[in-house]
Amino acid sequence: QAKQQGKNRIRFYEENLTQSLVHRGQLESHLRHALQHEGLSVHYQPLQQLSSGRIAGFEALIRWTSSTLGVVSPASIIPLAEERGLIIPLGEWVLERSLRQIKRWRESMHDEVYVSVNVSALQFSQAGFVATVEGMLADAQLPGSALMLELTESSLVENIESSTQTINALRNLGVRVALDDFGTGYSSLSYLRQLPVDVLKIDRSFVQSIDDGGKAFVRAITTLAHDLRLTVVVEGIEEREQLEMLAELGCDLGQGFLIGRPAQAAEIERHYDLPIEVLVGE
Ligand code: C2E
Ligand code: MG
Ligand code: MG
Ligand code: MG
């Protein structure tokens, strides 16, 4: 009896495993298809200057609504793409699409607005990455200042020396580099001293706990960042009181549902009363 149960358990486990492999295989082929047939889209979330209320830029966030699978979140798309060798074409697609969009908004919104694009570790550590970015900026006829790249600490610290070289090469193009989700994971302040980044994005967990100790951390991180001449962005602002407190603490830019949810380009254009120019393929 017990033996039989054990066998059943193993069979059950194996079935699940096969199913999940089949599932991942299906997911992969759907993603490949979406990538090749304009099935993906990019949403944009405003980054607001807290002192003036001005929109400084937008973060580009990938979106995928599959006709068979429904909405698939970036938290599933990105690891899948990394695992199945799709992250390079996917990352390049997001970059290209975002640059085309910001080119238009530099004309219709204001001429310093920039787009901030998330970059996966695999993409960033690719040999030709800087050249690809340079080529894309040239194709879009944009200066490097139109682009910010968001990287997480974990993707940079594996090889600090080569990361530093890549960041410096990007900054020579005028591209800004941000450390995303700062304060999560195994962040060490010494990395901050070593990595020549321009921007620190304080993770939204600090905003969520702002009444509960988070404030002291935001204040300390902001003071340190400003001493190092870094710009401070705070993510995940959902309430007016949080926004006011963060502005008082001297944080430079804010991002969150209160300021604006990620939205498709046409919706942003309606919201900010811009001439609506729908991109081909949307
Ligand atoms: P992230 O770069 O930290 O992006 C911010 C995430 O917080 C986004 O989730 C955004 O929708 C969400 N968010 C913004 N404001 C608020 C708020 O006020 N409250 C709450 N609860 N959430 C807020 P999203 O779009 O699901 O993206 C998740 C993560 O997936 C991103 O985190 C980023 O690491 C990754 N990602 C998204 N798009 C791309 C991409 O094109 N390439 C790469 N490599 N990664 C991407
Ligand atoms: Mg980000
Ligand atoms: Mg973030
Ligand atoms: Mg995050």
Side-chain angles (χ1 to χ4, degrees):
Q1 177 73 22
K3 210 174 171 186
Q4 189 56 41
Q5 255 181 7
K7 262 189 192 154
N8 284 342
R9 204 169 295 136
I10 289 169
R11 193 169 306 138
F12 178 69
Y13 170 75
E14 282 176 349
E15 267 169 22
N16 263 356
L17 189 70
T18 331
Q19 258 173 16
S20 81
L21 283 177
V22 170
H23 178 70
R24 289 190 83 68
Q26 279 172 351
L27 210 57
E28 179 196 348
S29 72
H30 283 298
L31 181 57
R32 251 178 227 286
H33 188 267
L35 193 54
Q36 282 159 6
H37 298 89
E38 296 284 317
L40 303 171
S41 65
V42 177
H43 280 199
Y44 301 90
Q45 187 178 30
L47 300 161
Q48 185 180 51
Q49 205 150 44
L50 293 181
S51 59
S52 65
R54 190 186 205 222
I55 298 302
F58 292 87
E59 179 169 4
L61 295 158
I62 194 160
R63 292 292 179 264
W64 180 26
T65 304
S66 152
S67 49
T68 38
L69 306 164
V71 174
V72 186
S73 76
S76 304
I77 304 169
I78 302 302
L80 179 78
E82 285 174 338
E83 186 187 306
R84 303 290 171 136
L86 289 172
I87 194 67
I88 307 294
L90 186 140
E92 289 180 354
W93 182 84
V94 173
L95 253 176
E96 206 217 305
R97 170 52 61 122
S98 304
L99 288 175
R100 259 204 286 166
Q101 188 58 62
I102 212 64
K103 172 77 178 172
R104 288 164 182 272
W105 286 346
R106 283 208 151 200
E107 285 152 14
S108 59
M109 199 173 291
H110 66 78
D111 62 8
E112 287 175 347
V113 75
Y114 56 85
V115 69
S116 197
V117 179
N118 294 284
V119 176
S120 136
L122 285 171
Q123 198 186 354
F124 178 77
S125 59
Q126 246 222 332
F129 180 65
V130 177
T132 301
V133 170
E134 188 174 18
M136 283 185 178
L137 285 166
D139 285 347
Q141 294 179 284
L142 282 169
S145 58
L147 178 65
M148 183 156 109
L149 296 176
E150 300 194 5
L151 294 146
T152 56
E153 273 165 304
S154 58
S155 64
L156 296 172
V157 301
E158 211 158 281
N159 192 337
I160 290 265
E161 242 168 69
S162 75
S163 295
T164 301
Q165 279 176 12
T166 307
I167 294 172
N168 280 327
L170 289 165
R171 292 177 79 202
N172 284 338
L173 300 176
V175 174
R176 272 164 291 182
V177 177
L179 211 50
D180 203 356
D181 301 334
F182 185 77
T184 60
Y186 297 95
S187 25
S188 149
L189 289 177
S190 76
Y191 293 139
L192 204 52
R193 211 159 59 90
Q194 293 176 64
L195 294 166
V197 297
D198 306 277
V199 177
L200 211 63
K201 291 192 83 171
I202 299 181
D203 190 69
R204 75 161 179 270
S205 53
F206 293 98
V207 179
Q208 280 165 346
S209 64
I210 197 121
D211 296 321
D212 193 33
K215 189 175 177 179
F217 279 93
V218 174
R219 187 191 285 119
I221 295 170
T222 302
T223 304
L224 176 67
H226 284 165
D227 280 349
L228 297 169
R229 302 196 195 299
L230 304 181
T231 299
V232 174
V233 182
V234 188
E235 13 172 72
I237 304 174
E238 295 180 357
E239 289 159 24
R240 173 75 38 201
E241 298 74 50
Q242 296 170 341
L243 181 90
E244 281 163 7
M245 203 180 281
L246 293 164
E248 224 167 88
L249 289 174
C251 302
D252 303 292
L253 299 162
Q255 176 180 6
F257 293 167
L258 177 75
I259 295 159
R261 286 182 179 262
Q264 52 188 15
E267 207 174 311
I268 302 271
E269 288 168 350
R270 266 195 300 279
H271 188 261
Y272 295 102
D273 228 351
L274 303 173
I276 293 176
E277 296 173 282
V278 179
L279 287 180
V280 178
E282 267 183 347

